[in-house]
Amino acid sequence: PMIKGNFLPDSISSEEYEEMDKTFPSLKAGSYKVLIVEDNEELLQILNTLFSPFYQVILAGNGEEGLRKANEEKPDLILMDVVMPGQNGFQLTRAISRDPQYADVPIIMCTSKNQETDRVWGMRQGARGYITKPVDPAELQAKIDALN
């Protein structure tokens, strides 16, 4: 599975939204922009469904689109996959984090690459957090909260 729990796009009940409100209490809908760069369409839609009640969500299906949307939208947070066609997440994280206009935009890498060397490399490229798939929403929220 791409995500832990039952956060499937077509089947979120009002009870699950209430649970998500408890899981993500610090967020207010539309007040914060998050750019999600992920080439897996299923996970992209799951993360969109998970975050859209709380964030203004911007979606990108690859690194080039992610960089373009970062330039257009100036997000407050970026969730970055690593393994993507074209420019990978390590390369894009390095490019974005070293650009002065994005110095204050944290990047959390969200990837299937689960080796310690991958995590260390991601952090050296400028990521402020690193989580592995399947995504645990509570772990992701803890990483976001730790940024503040």
Side-chain angles (χ1 to χ4, degrees):
M2 293 295 165
I3 193 162
K4 293 180 181 175
N6 295 317
F7 296 107
L8 299 175
D10 297 331
S11 62
I12 294 182
S13 67
S14 59
E15 292 82 16
E16 287 172 310
Y17 272 115
E18 288 175 26
E19 182 61 30
M20 286 165 41
D21 277 335
K22 292 176 195 158
T23 305
F24 298 93
S26 61
L27 306 179
K28 302 216 178 350
S31 65
Y32 206 75
K33 284 185 186 178
V34 61
L35 171 60
I36 302 172
V37 185
E38 169 63 60
D39 68 322
N40 180 299
E41 184 64 32
E42 179 186 6
L43 182 56
L44 193 66
Q45 291 310 316
I46 289 170
L47 291 170
N48 183 37
T49 300
L50 185 63
F51 285 107
S52 60
F54 313 101
Y55 286 118
Q56 186 177 351
V57 179
I58 306 147
L59 303 176
N62 59 54
E64 289 76 15
E65 185 180 9
L67 184 57
R68 182 174 50 77
K69 289 194 174 181
N71 286 324
E72 292 170 0
E73 301 284 347
K74 186 66 167 91
D76 298 295
L77 170 68
I78 300 172
L79 299 180
M80 179 79 68
D81 185 20
V82 171
V83 181
M84 297 181 285
Q87 189 173 36
N88 70 43
F90 290 136
Q91 295 165 323
L92 186 56
T93 296
R94 183 172 50 246
I96 290 174
S97 67
R98 296 193 177 151
D99 185 327
Q101 70 175 322
Y102 299 111
D104 61 335
V105 179
I107 299 171
I108 297 176
M109 304 199 94
C110 178
T111 179
S112 59
K113 296 185 73 63
N114 61 3
Q115 299 298 308
E116 179 63 13
T117 53
D118 297 318
R119 188 193 68 76
V120 169
W121 186 246
M123 301 302 273
R124 286 188 63 195
Q125 303 315 302
R128 300 262 304 278
Y130 193 99
I131 65 170
T132 57
K133 297 174 184 173
V135 175
D136 179 340
E139 178 187 6
L140 181 54
Q141 181 58 45
K143 294 286 186 193
I144 293 169
D145 288 345
L147 298 171
N148 298 328

